[in-house]
Amino acid sequence: HAWLRLPMVIPSGNMWASTYFLLTGFHAIHVAVGLIAFVLVLLYITKSVTGLRVAGQAAPLGLDDPRPALGWRILATEPGVAQSAYRVLVASTPEKLAQEQGDLWDSGRVASAESVGVTYAGAPLRSGITVHWKVRVWDNAGRDSGWSAPATWSVGVLEEGDWSPATRWITDEVLLQWQRSRLGYRSLP
């Protein structure tokens, strides 16, 4: 059997005496796993960033705002945790984002409790690209959350000149010819 000796302090009259508590096999493993889990919880007790949103939406497609509002939520496991600073990292590829290269925008550490309506202030966005981003925050005790899970948004058509000449509306021309008047449309002379 495996033995585990844990120091334990117990009161003895007016003096504190040190004694040892012996555990064997199955119990020793449970105590060790419990202590490890407790330490891991203490290390991760601060917070995590989740719920990344762009213009109020999760991973929007075809967003036509060149400076969208970004937002996120903080999940904390202890009461009284508040955001004191944030850093937003925005990249053109998931690889650059993973390497912490904000080629579109790196806000740097911004001292702010704002987590909703943070305006994208990076390089001008181009129509049709997918934007990859993540956030980290610091709490009122200066503890870092680590990076959030990556999120994305796709940029729609930002300028009229970005429409392709080959772009056509999808329709059935024969059906449109017969149904047009029923839908309330009429041809101009």
Side-chain angles (χ1 to χ4, degrees), residues 49-123:
V49 180
T50 186
L52 276 63
R53 296 212 174 282
V54 182
Q57 303 172 49
L61 301 175
L63 199 62
D64 63 355
D65 185 351
R67 301 275 182 228
L70 309 177
W72 53 88
R73 289 183 322 201
I74 302 165
L75 296 178
T77 56
E78 61 182 295
V81 171
Q83 175 183 306
S84 66
Y86 67 83
R87 180 180 175 197
V88 177
L89 199 61
V90 184
S92 58
T93 67
E95 293 80 19
K96 287 181 180 177
L97 188 66
Q99 296 169 358
E100 297 188 23
Q101 296 175 5
D103 63 327
L104 295 176
W105 184 39
D106 183 347
S107 70
R109 184 175 171 157
V110 177
S112 172
E114 199 69 41
S115 64
V116 176
V118 175
T119 303
Y120 169 79

Side-chain angles (χ1 to χ4, degrees), residues 54 59-64 126-131 152-156:
V54 182
L61 301 175
L63 199 62
D64 63 355
R126 296 182 328 275
S127 296
I129 66 168
T130 298
V131 178
T152 62
W153 84 83
S154 71
V155 180

Side-chain angles (χ1 to χ4, degrees), residues 40-48 75-78 81 143:
L40 290 175
V41 166
L42 286 178
L43 292 174
Y44 191 70
I45 201 165
T46 55
K47 70 230 134 286
S48 63
L75 296 178
T77 56
E78 61 182 295
V81 171
R143 294 175 293 196

